[in-house]
Amino acid sequence: MSRADFLADRTKAWRVKPELGVGCERFYLGPAGMIRKDELPAGWGLLAWKARRVEIVKAAKKNLRSEKGFACEMNLLLASLRRVEIRIEPQTITDFLKWQNRMAEYNGGRAPKGVVVPGAEENLYLDSTEYLAPATE
């Protein structure tokens, strides 16, 4: 990570709208002295490495997860599972882990009202147009 990387990170959608961020605790990690505490987003912690050791420069708050952020975490988890299923055994993992598929099967091949089928759900972490473009508002 460079200082330019740290500064560019501020324009990501989930930095501009922290409620989209994932995790209860959030940290930056960089070389000692590269990031100042006063440059951190509210509630974020800072880890620094020096001489092959990592130390906590500033602790993070432990309650940064929002309801929207939790939904983003679940989307990220589902996306990870989908990638695993493609590489291992698609039918076994899909049938066992994706409750949407089981619900659709139970419902005669149609997802019940209000259930989003896999592939149709919004996931800003996988949609490159969302997270690669600078956030605007």
Side-chain angles (χ1 to χ4, degrees), residues 44-64:
W44 280 62
L46 177 60
L47 304 173
W49 80 78
K50 182 177 181 179
R52 300 178 57 124
R53 293 184 51 98
V54 174
E55 62 181 51
I56 299 174
V57 176
K58 180 182 176 196
K61 286 187 179 178
K62 298 187 182 296
N63 63 348
L64 295 177

Side-chain angles (χ1 to χ4, degrees), residues 26-99:
R26 301 177 191 159
F27 287 89
Y28 279 100
L29 169 66
M34 187 183 81
I35 303 169
R36 296 187 321 263
K37 290 187 222 180
D38 65 333
E39 296 177 302
L40 298 171
W44 280 62
L46 177 60
L47 304 173
W49 80 78
K50 182 177 181 179
R52 300 178 57 124
R53 293 184 51 98
V54 174
E55 62 181 51
I56 299 174
V57 176
K58 180 182 176 196
K61 286 187 179 178
K62 298 187 182 296
N63 63 348
L64 295 177
R65 178 183 284 132
S66 67
E67 187 175 327
K68 180 72 174 172
F70 183 70
C72 290
E73 284 183 51
M74 292 300 102
N75 281 341
L76 192 55
L77 176 62
L78 286 172
S80 298
L81 291 173
R82 285 190 190 106
R83 290 181 182 173
V84 168
E85 82 181 12
I86 289 168
R87 294 186 183 118
I88 302 175
E89 298 177 42
Q91 287 304 312
T92 304
I93 292 174
T94 296
D95 291 343
F96 183 73
L97 295 176
K98 289 188 180 170
W99 65 272

